[in-house]
Amino acid sequence: MIRITRRISIVLASISVALLATACGGGGSSATATPRVAPTGTATARASLPPTSTPATSGTVTIAAIAIQSPIDGERLAVPIPVTGVANVSDGALVVAAVDGAGKVLCQRNVPTPGAVGTAGSWKTALAFAPPAADTEVTLRAFTLSAKDGSVQSLVTRRVQVTTTPPNIVIATPACNADVQALTTLNVSGEASVFEAALVVELRDAQGTAIQKQSVKASAGAPERAPWQTSFDLSGVATGTYEIAAYNLSARNGAVENEFANPIRITT
């Protein structure tokens, strides 16, 4: 019995030694065969992305992305339409427009942008035109024009629903982007629903400075909507881009309210 027990112990010990040797040898072989895994975010992946800006070459400006932040697609709103966004363009190169379903430009503005090329800046504007007779889909477009051939670049759009709700003040004539003959009398007319029928109408230069101002009375005060009219003498006004703006002053604190402004061009 004692001999049998010793033989069994010897056999078991031999098996354990063999298994241990096999395990050590297999582990070394496995470590050698394990491939390296490339890390994520390699230089090759980054190189496939376009640069955020490209240095300007002689005589040219590289136009970066334009974004419209508000309004959002499908939003319902009344005129004037406030539009905001960010852009990385040279100052004065940004154009914002409202276009109807037939492709007609309802209003278009050149919009100042802060900062220089290579630095994104915020911008805002308002597009004013007569309220539609029925709720209408309008496409807002923001873009730049090529200095080389005038083609549209970096175009972004938003589709919105413009309602029939009239603003408190409307300029009917001259319409947005109207051409006005120099050295004549500029007749301005519209409708208003304001406190005591009182509003102010200004002729502003391209920098937004009022060069002529008129205090105007509509034929009736709020809550009625009533017509108003006034005129400006253009005999001493140079040709160029201007703006006609109408607004009222708050009865509570004198702040400007309900501004409606149309860009115009005085031409020869």
Side-chain angles (χ1 to χ4, degrees), residues 92-108:
L94 178 65
V95 181
V96 181
V99 181
D100 68 11
K104 177 184 177 182
V105 177
L106 303 172
C107 191
Q108 179 170 300

Side-chain angles (χ1 to χ4, degrees), residues 138-227:
V138 170
T139 300
L140 304 178
R141 308 171 81 233
F143 56 93
T144 61
L145 296 175
S146 168
K148 180 179 180 181
D149 58 13
S151 61
V152 171
Q153 296 180 330
S154 303
L155 173 66
V156 293
T157 62
R158 289 284 186 278
R159 287 186 173 88
V160 298
Q161 290 290 324
V162 178
T163 70
T164 59
T165 304
N168 290 77
I169 297 174
V170 173
I171 296 175
T173 57
C176 184
N177 305 127
D179 288 333
V180 179
Q181 183 71 36
L183 307 177
T184 61
T185 297
L186 170 60
N187 295 312
V188 186
S189 63
E191 289 184 340
S193 177
V194 294
F195 179 69
E196 294 186 343
L199 61 151
V200 178
V201 183
E202 294 180 346
L203 174 62
R204 299 171 179 169
D205 63 18
Q207 287 70 47
T209 302
I211 59 174
Q212 293 187 40
K213 180 185 295 188
Q214 302 281 359
S215 294
V216 180
K217 281 278 191 177
S219 61
E224 300 297 323
R225 293 192 65 81

Side-chain angles (χ1 to χ4, degrees), residues 70-72 74-83 98 106-107 125-138 140 159-170 225 258-261:
S70 67
I72 61 174
E75 187 170 346
R76 289 172 55 83
L77 65 171
V79 293
I81 302 174
V83 190
L106 303 172
C107 191
T125 191
L127 301 174
F129 49 91
D135 289 4
T136 302
E137 182 177 88
V138 170
L140 304 178
R159 287 186 173 88
V160 298
Q161 290 290 324
V162 178
T163 70
T164 59
T165 304
N168 290 77
I169 297 174
V170 173
R225 293 192 65 81
N258 303 310
E259 181 168 298
F260 191 105

